[in-house]
Amino acid sequence: MVGTSAASARPTLRLVEVAAEEAARIPTGVAELDRVLGGGLVPASLVLLGGEPGVGKSTLLLTALAAVSGTRRALLVTGEESVAQVKLRAQRLGGAANVEILAETELDAVCATLQAERPDVCVIDSVQTLYAADIGSAPGSVAQVREAASRLLRAAKGAGVATILVGHVTKDGAVAGPRVLEHLVDCVLQFEGDRYHAHRVLRATKNRFGSTNELGVFEMTGAGLVGVPNPSELFGRTEGGEVGAAVACALEGTRPLLLEVQALVAPTDLAMPRRVATGVDPRRLAMIVAVLSRHARVALGQADVFVNVAGGVRIDEPGADLAVALAIASAARNTPVHDGTAIFGEIGLTGRLRAAAQAERRLEECAKLGVRAVVAPHGTPSRASPRLLEVDSVRAAISAGLEPANGERRAEAER
Ligand SMILES: Nc1ncnc2c1ncn2[C@@H]1O[C@H](COP(=O)(O)OP(=O)(O)OP(=O)(O)O)[C@@H](O)[C@H]1O
Ligand SMILES: [Mg+2]
């Protein structure tokens, strides 16, 4: 009931009376990480780095700590690996001689150390190994993880320590862990990539101090993670004349990115043909398949459709729709996309195309990488190079983007 509580009212402030200075960010020394954070670590902020086992979380953060330790105090709290294991990794990566290290899993001891030592940056590897004796459940349980994060939050804010928590995520991202912390922390970073491929993608899914659209790309090498400043060169290549491949010019934050989209269309007897997407939202794929069937005469009712984005990158942006559609159409019709062509544009349910955001930027990236022609919706500003093929529907995009089918190919497809 209202009015029965014993607490007394507190004075409030107007914002004009609040003194606040934006503190200078702490550069992590890893350019791709700084980009995703929005220009470096904010002092006294709490960041969660999630990722599947073995993706390279410890490697990335030790590299950052090594760079930070050149000018500031950097502390690594390791609950997962022994001090000797960390030392071996540090030797492999180099430059980490001044990083301070603490092997500890007891939550209160870690908090007390933060308050006493007050390093500028602290990494907790991992939040799942921390343990508070007064909470009954086992380490890694939801209750323990949540308690660890909230006590660390208080300690870190109090002592002015920028803290990065490492959290393990399983394939479905569910199990007791990082997901329950997302609302507590200032920034959630996701480190993704295929353990079997060398490339890793870092993105922010929540950021109180910057955009969430930025993307960092790394390559895992024996000497650690190396930033890839120009990922388009890596992911945007196709073999000329290959059927079922199209180059999308997608926008990730402020960064245009050329990405190869691959599609396979295979006849099936299944009543519910499969639509399998890797790197593309499955609902988006279902929509594109439906639009292709209904508005572009690409019959896919009796075919399984598989779509894959090169390099393990995930596309979240509608501007990549048209490239996905052309890759599928190319696979279905067994004709390649014109060599040296990139594609962007958003597909509407009516089959009509909508101009994609920041077309100028995308065209610039295409020009930089030697793309000769771009298929894009009407209303895209034209420039000298690459040549712009303006289209208004998915159907028109298919005629503009695909090589004409010759009789032989068509006969083979129908067989
Ligand atoms: N000696 C080595 N030479 C080259 N690459 C290595 C070497 N040791 C480890 N790696 C790479 O580092 C990756 C593991 O990195 P790291 O330990 O940072 O991952 P992690 O995400 O912290 O894993 P975990 O979940 O186990 O803590 C391996 O998948 C491998 O690619
Ligand atoms: Mg690790």
Side-chain angles (χ1 to χ4, degrees):
M1 250 202 286
V2 182
T4 55
S5 121
S8 58
R10 307 282 155 82
T12 59
L13 280 179
R14 278 181 303 154
L15 280 173
V16 66
E17 298 157 350
V18 177
E21 277 170 56
E22 197 169 345
R25 291 182 183 242
I26 305 169
T28 62
V30 180
E32 299 289 303
L33 175 58
D34 283 342
R35 180 209 301 276
V36 176
L37 285 168
L41 271 172
V42 172
S45 64
L46 189 61
V47 176
L48 173 68
L49 175 72
E52 286 175 27
V55 72
K57 302 177 292 297
S58 307
T59 308
L60 175 68
L61 293 177
L62 187 57
T63 312
L65 284 181
V68 169
S69 71
T71 51
R72 291 179 166 85
R73 286 190 67 188
L75 171 67
L76 172 64
V77 176
T78 171
E80 211 137 88
E81 295 173 57
S82 68
V83 179
Q85 266 176 305
V86 175
K87 166 97 189 201
L88 289 178
R89 176 180 294 119
Q91 280 173 340
R92 185 156 55 86
L93 303 179
N98 289 328
V99 174
E100 295 164 59
I101 182 161
L102 168 71
E104 182 59 74
T105 54
E106 205 188 310
L107 178 56
D108 287 331
V110 173
C111 291
T113 310
L114 283 188
Q115 269 152 348
E117 296 293 328
R118 297 177 175 258
D120 295 288
V121 179
C122 172
V123 168
I124 313 272
D125 193 357
S126 67
V127 68
Q128 273 112 340
T129 55
L130 291 184
Y131 180 72
D134 51 323
I135 305 282
S137 49
S141 63
V142 173
Q144 285 283 2
V145 167
R146 192 178 289 157
E147 189 62 21
S150 65
R151 283 192 209 176
L152 279 168
L153 177 73
R154 252 171 291 143
K157 297 263 173 197
V161 183
T163 306
I164 306 178
L165 307 177
V166 174
H168 296 286
V169 187
T170 51
K171 273 265 185 241
D172 47 357
V175 178
R179 299 247 82 146
V180 302
L181 306 182
E182 287 184 356
H183 63 280
L184 271 180
V185 301
D186 296 311
C187 186
V188 180
L189 305 183
Q190 201 106 31
F191 205 27
E192 301 167 350
D194 203 320
R195 234 179 315 167
Y196 308 103
H197 289 99
H199 297 105
R200 305 282 190 275
V201 174
L202 182 71
R203 58 172 92 224
T205 56
K206 162 179 173 176
N207 193 349
R208 286 186 179 147
F209 311 110
S211 147
T212 52
N213 299 321
E214 296 295 343
L215 183 89
V217 182
F218 297 90
E219 186 170 357
M220 178 65 90
T221 69
L225 286 159
V226 183
V228 178
N230 200 349
S232 289
E233 275 183 15
L234 206 65
F235 300 142
R237 292 254 170 271
T238 48
E239 284 292 313
E242 202 172 46
V243 161
V247 176
C249 187
L251 204 65
E252 294 286 350
T254 56
R255 188 181 212 183
L257 193 59
L258 294 190
L259 291 169
E260 187 193 14
V261 180
Q262 298 170 344
L264 173 67
V265 172
T268 181
D269 293 327
L270 292 179
M272 291 264 290
R274 269 176 293 200
R275 294 349 183 179
V276 183
T278 313
V280 177
D281 178 9
R283 274 168 304 179
R284 205 91 207 152
L285 174 61
M287 187 274 276
I288 293 169
V289 166
V291 169
L292 279 172
S293 316
R294 183 72 182 75
H295 296 293
R297 297 210 189 140
V298 179
L300 298 164
Q302 258 113 54
D304 289 334
V305 177
F306 302 86
V307 170
N308 180 33
V309 179
V313 181
R314 187 157 48 84
I315 320 186
D316 285 332
E317 194 235 354
D321 287 353
L322 192 56
V324 175
L326 256 63
I328 297 172
S330 160
R333 301 215 165 146
N334 206 20
T335 40
V337 172
H338 286 296
D339 203 15
T341 301
I343 299 137
F344 64 82
E346 181 180 344
I347 297 179
L349 289 180
T350 58
R352 203 157 41 79
L353 302 179
R354 215 166 298 148
Q358 306 202 38
E360 274 289 349
R361 269 229 164 85
R362 300 180 202 242
L363 290 172
E364 243 167 58
E365 180 78 359
C366 292
K368 209 163 71 192
L369 282 140
V371 168
R372 291 194 292 277
V374 170
V375 179
H378 270 305
T380 303
S382 171
R383 41 180 289 157
S385 124
R387 193 160 63 91
L388 188 63
L389 305 169
E390 280 184 290
V391 290
D392 57 2
S393 66
V394 178
R395 212 165 149 186
I398 292 172
S399 350
L402 297 196
E403 280 179 17
N406 62 39
E408 226 171 55
R409 278 216 188 93
R410 192 173 294 152
E412 194 181 291
E414 280 163 5
R415 229 184 288 142

